[in-house]
Amino acid sequence: MGLVVQKYGGSSVADAEGIKRVAKRIVEAKKNGHQVVVVVSAMGDTTDELIDLAEQVSPIPAGREFDMLLTAGERISMALLAMAIKTLGHEAQSFTGSQAGVITDSVHNKARIIDVTPGRIQQSVDAGNIAIVAGFQGVSQDKKDITTLGRGGSDTTAVALAAALDAEVCEIYTDVDGVFTADPRVVKKARKIEWISFEDMLELASSGSKVLLHRCVEYARRYNIPIHVRSSFSGLKGTWVSNEPPGGQPVEQAIISGVAHDTSEAKVTVVGVPDKPGEAATIFRAIADAEINIDMVVQNVSAAATGLTDISFTLPKAEGRKAIEALEKTKGRVGFEHLRYDDQIAKISLVGAGMKTNPGVTAAFFEALSNAGVNIELISTSEIRISVVTRADDVNEAVRAVHTAFGLDSDTDEAVVYGGTGR
Amino acid sequence: MGLVVQKYGGSSVADAEGIKRVAKRIVEAKKNGHQVVVVVSAMGDTTDELIDLAEQVSPIPAGREFDMLLTAGERISMALLAMAIKTLGHEAQSFTGSQAGVITDSVHNKARIIDVTPGRIQQSVDAGNIAIVAGFQGVSQDKKDITTLGRGGSDTTAVALAAALDAEVCEIYTDVDGVFTADPRVVKKARKIEWISFEDMLELASSGSKVLLHRCVEYARRYNIPIHVRSSFSGLKGTWVSNEPPGGQPVEQAIISGVAHDTSEAKVTVVGVPDKPGEAATIFRAIADAEINIDMVVQNVSAAATGLTDISFTLPKAEGRKAIEALEKTKGRVGFEHLRYDDQIAKISLVGAGMKTNPGVTAAFFEALSNAGVNIELISTSEIRISVVTRADDVNEAVRAVHTAFGLDSDTDEAVVYGGTGR
């Protein structure tokens, strides 16, 4: 039996009871003969409480100190988890990100892992210990300052450690039973996916699915680390995310992996753009220079009478104001008529490698939305994904209609959400 | 102007307002031209809350993990303090004990500092920053594990850093205005001491005064670091603790520095010990082997009729059970009659170098107690201290009577206690 990396989110270790429950699961894995390395997030609301304290002393907390502050959260949860495991009669040692060899760049609050040197972790598990590692944090290569990895950072820590330690699998424990064919909060009949390819999981993650973040899946794909997403609250098997189905067993690849939705974006429309070369380039150069990541981009056919066209794109709501300001500055050069900003939109995406070889998928998707009376405002496609923008008010109905139309509904209401969400 | 080390306790940084108030004081010192290094404790009740969490997951929390847990407290306060200072327009960087070079032995929960290598701190202040250092913590020399220094550890961190950085002074900010001639909670007319020698301060600390711990004063005396104990709540000058009065100014050395009391001890009496050589040695060898620190020891003159004597000693209440168990085991060899255990006692001590040359002090002390109707149960003296044991119920009255008798009462009720107590 090889080495297993397990990651537990904040909702799994929200209180002393949660920590004791998780400790038992960890000990099970150890008893089964595995070497076990555990990555843990801060307990429940700890991070929010620390952020609140920071805001009380400083309007814009300094990055270096903010990271120092936030990393106290994992320090608490990992020490308590190690104590709980020792109480069960097994040896455990906790390690900070720095002690675990998680080396990052110096971009505070959203550092990137540039190397993992897990010598102390390897030594600890070789000596028979269960190693508990603080998620979400590292130490900067140049300045030796404490850094944090930003949203979803603990998942990335787990995958990065799994890669560095050559683990068999990286188990991500969360408050749902796995990856579902749609958000179980919206679709009661969503079905748990047994296995999904890295490729489809990446598309789901970038389309609004929150179980795994894009960055973590990308890391796992690069180092070919199978991820097993499962619940720390139930004993059920979860979802395997990997290149091939686990154990070489034949698992039928579904045509459609799932339906994702995202209500965190807004839509900007540049109205009345002269339809000539270079206009779009000027617009998107302005957006890029403002360091705004955009998602979908659509340009209408220009009206013959005027020679003007409209260009629409979506972006995170939080970047809306910055984008409008950047575009206003280009008005003189581009000569568009005006800007429209709309944050009452939703994006609904259908993901599945099977759509490459099933030409009817796009049509069936649009028919399902039409039958549900949902109007489509923008369309964008990739090889294994179709996304549309609709009114925000329509999102739940649209997701359910599409889920049913593609035969994804489960016979039972099996989807359960156990707790809150960690980071 | 040289380098100043300031230490702020938990009650000074109990909440966001406290942190902002302390940040202003620190900036004042910086504006006055000093290089400033700050040692900070965990906020208010943080440590107690963490201990409570630990007890919920483990009946006897493991030392290594307990230290990892507790050090999260200073990580929070130091990061917030650095943010608050930066908000005031000054540069600040926070450092863990490990980053600050506080090297300790491996005795978790009560580690001893064995070296301080403050390279990063020196570099930080030389670059114009205010350096904020986590109190109470270090890193073990051999295993590179996080350690904590035990009770009063932040004061020791401050003095040790002051010594390593060759500081002008170590300022200990607390919730009282300085060292008083008696505990201001008991004696309203207690007077603030302007200057006290290391020698007298050591006796006060070991007699129950809680403003500074013995270990910290001992460290300061060894490296000759002047300590200035003062309040973070008022702007008043506090008490200087040093070899010589500060600034070479003549400060009259009082005959009596102060009255200390201690209600944390219990008294054990071994009744009916045969009065022959070796009996006391057997008794105290048993106590020492059980690693119990004893304080006062008194042996009565033996009764001529029986040839038996009684031996009494005091020890921390927490060690009472262990001591009784250890003594019971020696009963066969020593042949004493029985043991008496009494935890309703108090120790009252009068401290002052002046008593060396003032032979009337002891008599005046006993007279004061007698006039107040307080019975004396044990007496022990050193060159500059007299201690007696009385009933616990008599302690406040006894302290006030002695304080008045030696002319220590202030004309006004100047003693103020501003908040709770930190560590």
Side-chain angles (χ1 to χ4, degrees), chain B residues 43-70:
Chain B
M43 294 169 72
D45 302 325
T46 309
T47 304
D48 288 341
E49 287 164 18
L50 292 174
I51 291 172
D52 182 55
L53 269 174
E55 284 169 354
Q56 285 179 50
V57 301
S58 178
I60 305 162
R64 179 185 186 278
E65 303 307 323
F66 199 60
D67 281 353
M68 184 67 95
L69 177 73
L70 291 189

Side-chain angles (χ1 to χ4, degrees), chain A residues 15-17 19-20 43 50 53-62 64-69 71-73 75-84 86-87 92-96 99 120 137 139 143-146, chain B residues 15-17 19-20 43 50 53-62 64-69 71-73 75-84 86-87 92-96 99 120 137 139 143-146:
Chain A
D15 52 22
E17 286 316 305
I19 286 169
K20 287 195 257 187
M43 294 169 74
L50 292 174
L53 269 174
E55 284 168 354
Q56 285 179 50
V57 301
S58 177
I60 305 162
R64 179 186 186 278
E65 302 308 324
F66 199 60
D67 281 353
M68 184 68 96
L69 177 73
T71 53
R75 178 167 280 233
I76 294 170
S77 56
M78 74 189 197
L80 291 171
L81 189 52
M83 287 177 196
K86 288 170 86 85
T87 302
Q93 289 187 314
S94 66
F95 297 93
T96 63
Q99 289 176 334
R120 283 189 75 174
Q137 58 179 254
V139 61
K143 295 186 186 162
K144 309 288 174 228
D145 280 334
I146 305 302
Chain B
D15 53 22
E17 286 317 303
I19 287 170
K20 288 195 258 187
M43 294 169 72
L50 292 174
L53 269 174
E55 284 169 354
Q56 285 179 50
V57 301
S58 178
I60 305 162
R64 179 185 186 278
E65 303 307 323
F66 199 60
D67 281 353
M68 184 67 95
L69 177 73
T71 53
R75 178 167 281 236
I76 294 170
S77 55
M78 75 190 196
L80 290 171
L81 189 52
M83 287 179 197
K86 288 171 85 86
T87 302
Q93 289 188 314
S94 67
F95 297 93
T96 63
Q99 290 176 334
R120 283 188 74 174
Q137 58 180 253
V139 62
K143 295 187 187 161
K144 308 290 173 225
D145 281 333
I146 305 302

Side-chain angles (χ1 to χ4, degrees), chain A residues 148-207:
Chain A
T148 66
L149 307 177
R151 205 168 142 248
S154 291
D155 289 1
T156 310
T157 304
V159 171
L161 267 174
L165 292 163
D166 199 17
E168 269 180 13
V169 57
C170 179
E171 298 185 333
I172 306 277
Y173 285 86
T174 179
D175 53 4
V176 289
D177 283 325
V179 182
F180 280 76
T181 49
D183 184 342
R185 288 171 185 82
V186 171
V187 182
K188 287 269 173 286
K189 289 187 183 301
R191 209 186 306 166
K192 186 172 69 189
I193 299 170
E194 265 189 72
W195 168 75
I196 185 171
S197 66
F198 284 130
E199 204 180 11
D200 277 20
M201 192 66 230
L202 282 172
E203 287 286 359
L204 280 180
S206 57
S207 302

Side-chain angles (χ1 to χ4, degrees), chain B residues 269-282:
Chain B
T269 305
V270 190
V271 180
V273 180
D275 192 5
K276 55 184 186 188
E279 298 297 283
T282 307

